[in-house]
């Protein structure tokens, strides 16, 4: 499952970082200002890491005059420039990551600037890879978890922006997060790590792009997603179920899940488990996401027959009556599901 991780680590660690801090800072300003010397073509295949060009060359993605320059030209953006420069300082990096994460909503093009800024993506990769040894056996402290979560929050900006979303995917960057998703410790620092990693993946899948869904199917993300739906915290369950819903809305993802009887059985068991776990503490949002997944799966005849026999009784009886009474949209969804199964 993690066969590509060594290559990803090598890509991240071997990107050129410049000969000294002064040169790096000058290159950084040039990149985020859109004044790069070249404008190399983006790679059309998975595995092309950003920031892999030479000192005066390109970062591996097209750089235009407005890619991160015009939108980041005011006084507030100068502070963001300086924070990106401070990422190159081992002393200031932790604080710079925290501050950039805190200010991530200030500029809609910050994700583009991060992607195009010379060496910044390499730094984010290194921050992620550095904590792998702390995952098993669990040795992650809250401060280290917060630091990595700040890096992941910046990755989410790159994943969200239309100019950089596919480049992040083609560089196989999401696979760097799979070890975080495979952790099982329920302490807060690991839960935060899983939740923030899911946020990056959720930002990629929410735009219903077939290539994105195919990536997560091919790289065997689904078992990790299902495990978190089954045993994760409520927030992790909600994000993971949203991602799973997006996967099966796509025809390719739907075919992947329903074409294998054992896989389909596992999915239905886990969805039932999620419902049963909410008997004592219902979540309207999670119930709606699970119900949408069941409605979609009912488009497959085998899944429909299995649900007719084994759908959780809690969706048929009055267990969630108060949710039905308070939420009209959920009432419509559960009615649609029961009609579809009748």
């Amino acid at each position: 499952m993690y066969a590509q991780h060594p290559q990803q680590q090598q890509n991240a660690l071997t990107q050129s970082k410049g000969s000294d801090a002064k040169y790096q800072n000058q290159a950084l300003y040039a990149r985020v200002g859109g004044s790069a010397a070249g404008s190399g073509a983006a790679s059309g295949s998975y595995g092309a890491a950003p920031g892999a060009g030479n000192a005066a060359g390109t970062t591996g993605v097209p750089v235009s005059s407005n890619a991160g320059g015009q939108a980041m030209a005011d006084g507030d953006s100068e502070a963001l420039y300086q924070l990106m420069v401070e990422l190159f300082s081992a002393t200031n990096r932790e604080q710079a990551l925290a501050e950039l994460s805190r200010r991530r909503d200030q500029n809609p093009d910050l994700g583009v600037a991060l992607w195009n800024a010379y060496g910044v993506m390499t730094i984010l990769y290194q921050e992620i890879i550095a904590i792998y040894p702390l995952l098993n056996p669990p040795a992650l402290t809250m401060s280290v978890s917060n630091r990595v979560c700040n890096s992941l929050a910046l990755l989410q900006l790159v994943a969200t922006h239309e100019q950089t979303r596919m480049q992040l995917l083609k560089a196989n960057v999401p696979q760097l997060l799979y070890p975080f998703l495979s952790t099982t410790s329920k302490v807060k620092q690991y839960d935060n790590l899983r939740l923030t990693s899911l946020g990056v993946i959720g930002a990629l899948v929410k735009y219903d792009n077939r290539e994105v869904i195919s990536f997560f199917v091919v790289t065997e993300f689904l078992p990790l997603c299902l495990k978190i739906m089954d045993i994760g915290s409520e927030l992790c369950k909600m994000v993971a179920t949203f991602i799973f819903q997006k996967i099966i809305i796509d025809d390719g993802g739907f075919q992947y899940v329903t074409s294998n009887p054992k896989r389909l059985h596992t999915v239905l068991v886990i969805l039932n488990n999620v419902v049963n776990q909410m008997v004592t503490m219902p979540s309207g949002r999670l119930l709606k996401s699970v119900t949408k997944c069941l409605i979609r799966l009912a488009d497959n005849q085998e899944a429909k027959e299995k649900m007719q026999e084994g759908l959780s009784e809690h969706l048929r009886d009055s267990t969630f009556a108060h949710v039905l009474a308070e939420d009209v949209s959920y009432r419509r969804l559960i009615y649609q599901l029961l009609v579809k199964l009748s």
Side-chain angles (χ1 to χ4, degrees):
M1 177 181 251
Y2 302 132
Q4 296 188 40
H5 288 165
Q7 183 59 47
Q8 286 299 318
Q9 295 178 24
Q10 189 64 28
N11 285 347
L13 293 172
T14 58
Q15 293 180 50
S16 174
K17 296 183 291 182
S19 58
D20 53 41
K22 180 179 179 182
Y23 172 76
Q24 289 172 333
N25 295 351
Q26 291 173 343
L28 173 64
Y29 277 89
R31 294 297 180 198
V32 297
S35 57
S39 56
S43 170
S45 60
Y46 296 128
N54 57 32
T58 68
T59 60
V61 293
V63 179
S64 65
S65 61
N66 61 357
Q70 293 179 1
M72 297 191 65
D74 56 21
D76 288 340
S77 296
E78 284 300 318
L80 296 177
Y81 286 155
Q82 186 56 42
L83 288 170
M84 283 189 280
V85 170
E86 290 179 4
L87 291 175
F88 291 92
S89 165
T91 303
N92 299 333
R93 182 178 298 172
E94 183 173 3
Q95 183 59 36
L97 286 169
E99 193 63 19
L100 279 168
S101 177
R102 188 180 70 82
R103 298 188 183 193
R104 62 186 181 273
D105 295 328
Q106 286 186 4
N107 193 297
D109 288 328
L110 179 56
V112 180
L114 291 168
W115 180 265
N116 289 326
Y118 187 90
V120 167
M121 294 304 296
T122 299
I123 289 171
L124 297 183
Y125 301 157
Q126 289 172 333
E127 289 290 309
I128 290 168
I129 293 168
I131 70 161
Y132 283 177
L134 305 179
L135 300 180
N136 189 22
L140 192 65
T141 64
M142 183 58 75
S143 62
V144 173
S145 175
N146 289 341
R147 175 169 174 161
V148 179
C149 285
N150 286 330
S151 298
L152 293 173
L154 297 181
L155 272 189
Q156 186 170 342
L157 290 178
V158 180
T160 301
H161 203 287
E162 62 181 358
Q163 292 185 30
T164 52
R165 186 184 310 133
M166 295 308 298
Q167 302 308 318
L168 188 78
L169 192 77
K170 289 175 180 179
N172 292 327
V173 174
Q175 285 189 282
L176 294 177
L177 313 185
Y178 288 7
F180 300 161
L181 299 177
S182 69
T183 60
T184 56
S185 174
K186 295 189 176 182
V187 296
K188 188 174 179 60
Q189 51 264 43
Y190 287 92
D191 191 61
N192 288 348
L193 199 61
R194 288 188 292 269
L195 181 61
T196 316
S197 298
L198 287 170
V200 177
I201 295 171
L204 288 166
V205 303
K206 72 178 182 179
Y207 297 100
D208 299 323
N209 183 296
R210 179 161 294 183
E211 187 176 356
V212 172
I213 300 303
S214 176
F215 173 88
F216 288 112
V217 168
V218 169
T219 58
E220 298 184 20
F221 163 76
L222 191 60
L224 298 173
C225 184
L226 290 171
K227 183 190 71 176
I228 293 173
M229 288 167 61
D230 193 20
I231 66 172
S233 65
E234 181 179 332
L235 283 175
C236 283
K237 284 176 184 287
M238 283 195 290
V239 181
T241 305
F242 166 80
I243 294 170
F244 177 73
Q245 177 192 336
K246 286 294 186 179
I247 289 174
I248 61 174
I249 284 174
D250 177 81
D251 289 341
F254 180 77
Q255 177 67 18
Y256 175 78
V257 169
T258 58
S259 62
N260 184 299
K262 289 184 179 180
R263 187 181 299 129
L264 177 60
H265 174 76
T266 299
V267 165
L268 293 175
V269 167
I270 288 175
L271 289 172
N272 266 349
N273 287 348
V274 176
V275 172
N276 295 337
Q277 291 164 11
M278 284 189 283
V279 170
T280 56
M281 191 175 295
S283 164
R285 289 178 60 189
L286 185 54
L287 273 171
K288 284 194 284 188
S289 289
V290 171
T291 305
K292 288 177 182 178
C293 292
L294 293 169
I295 290 171
R296 172 57 171 156
L297 290 171
D299 290 336
N300 175 267
Q301 185 60 34
E302 182 180 354
K304 180 178 179 178
E305 292 172 359
K306 287 179 178 293
M307 282 189 277
Q308 286 171 336
E309 298 175 0
L311 183 69
S312 174
E313 287 300 318
H314 297 302
L315 292 176
R316 301 181 188 270
D317 61 25
S318 60
T319 301
F320 303 118
H322 63 289
V323 180
L324 288 167
E326 295 171 358
D327 194 328
V328 175
S329 62
Y330 177 62
R331 195 156 62 238
R332 290 171 179 165
L333 286 171
I334 201 68
Y335 176 77
Q336 182 182 351
L337 174 63
L338 295 178
V339 167
K340 205 166 187 178
L341 295 180
S342 62

